[in-house]
Amino acid sequence: MSSFVIKPLVDTPAIRDALAELLVETVAAGGSVSFMHPLSLDDARAFWQDSLRAAAQGERIVLGAFDGAALIGAVTLLLKLPPNQPHRAEIAKMMTRVAHRKRGVATALMQAAEQLAVAHGRTLLVLDTAEEDGAAPLYERLGFQLTGLIPDYALKPHGGLTGTLIYWKRIGAAAA
């Protein structure tokens, strides 16, 4: 198992390019992360530029997992939610390079995101994942509770519909 470092990401051309490559690879491999295959690097860069701009404004945190200088995974913690939901955060865009899967990268990213959510005063985390080929086993191992399934929620990257599974987890003081 290789060692890796988790850290918050800021917008630089190199980070944007690395995130874009990760997103394109994830979509090409069938990852249901809001995009269709084929996804262009330019479109992926534009997405990450907007996402990292929101991070710079404190609306979210984009975490990266690095093996040396190589970005091998990422997850986004959404913090800016409606005024009646200041107690919760949402997990989005959980991605790991195909060659680095099953090595603990996603678990480490999720644990870091949860710690940051607690540090930002959040007591509830929510997320969704594709019914087919999603990360449900990972989220359940990390203590997330399944709320339910919404059938035919989104298109899979290569076409066809998939349902989405909705999960939640109490964190911080609420978990005690």
Side-chain angles (χ1 to χ4, degrees), residues 21-43:
E21 290 170 11
L22 175 61
L23 182 57
V24 167
E25 178 183 306
T26 299
V27 171
S32 184
V33 287
S34 304
F35 294 93
M36 298 299 293
H37 180 72
L39 174 62
S40 75
L41 278 172
D42 286 340
D43 287 345

Side-chain angles (χ1 to χ4, degrees), residues 63 75 91 94 105-115 125 127 138-139 142 144:
L63 292 173
V75 69
I91 298 289
M94 176 65 241
V105 176
T107 297
L109 282 164
M110 289 295 295
Q111 290 170 338
E114 182 175 329
Q115 291 169 0
L125 270 180
L127 61 85
L138 166 71
Y139 301 132
L142 294 173
F144 282 84

Side-chain angles (χ1 to χ4, degrees), residues 25-152:
E25 178 183 306
T26 299
V27 171
S32 184
V33 287
S34 304
F35 294 93
M36 298 299 293
H37 180 72
L39 174 62
S40 75
L41 278 172
D42 286 340
D43 287 345
R45 279 187 203 98
F47 168 79
W48 285 113
Q49 185 172 19
D50 290 344
S51 186
L52 292 166
R53 183 179 306 119
Q57 296 170 350
E59 298 173 358
R60 64 184 62 194
I61 299 169
V62 180
L63 292 173
F66 290 86
D67 185 356
L71 180 71
I72 59 171
V75 69
T76 299
L77 178 67
L78 303 174
L79 297 170
K80 184 178 181 186
L81 297 173
N84 69 338
Q85 300 167 38
H87 61 288
R88 76 174 185 89
E90 188 168 331
I91 298 289
K93 303 292 181 283
M94 176 65 241
M95 302 177 290
T96 304
R97 286 252 187 218
V98 173
H100 287 82
R101 292 183 181 169
K102 306 292 184 201
R103 297 183 186 184
V105 176
T107 297
L109 282 164
M110 289 295 295
Q111 290 170 338
E114 182 175 329
Q115 291 169 0
L116 285 168
V118 170
H120 281 82
R122 301 317 200 267
T123 57
L124 183 69
L125 270 180
V126 297
L127 61 85
D128 67 87
T129 191
E131 177 184 22
E132 297 174 36
D133 302 320
L138 166 71
Y139 301 132
E140 290 173 11
R141 267 194 320 275
L142 294 173
F144 282 84
Q145 302 296 312
L146 177 64
T147 294
L149 163 70
I150 302 172
D152 299 338

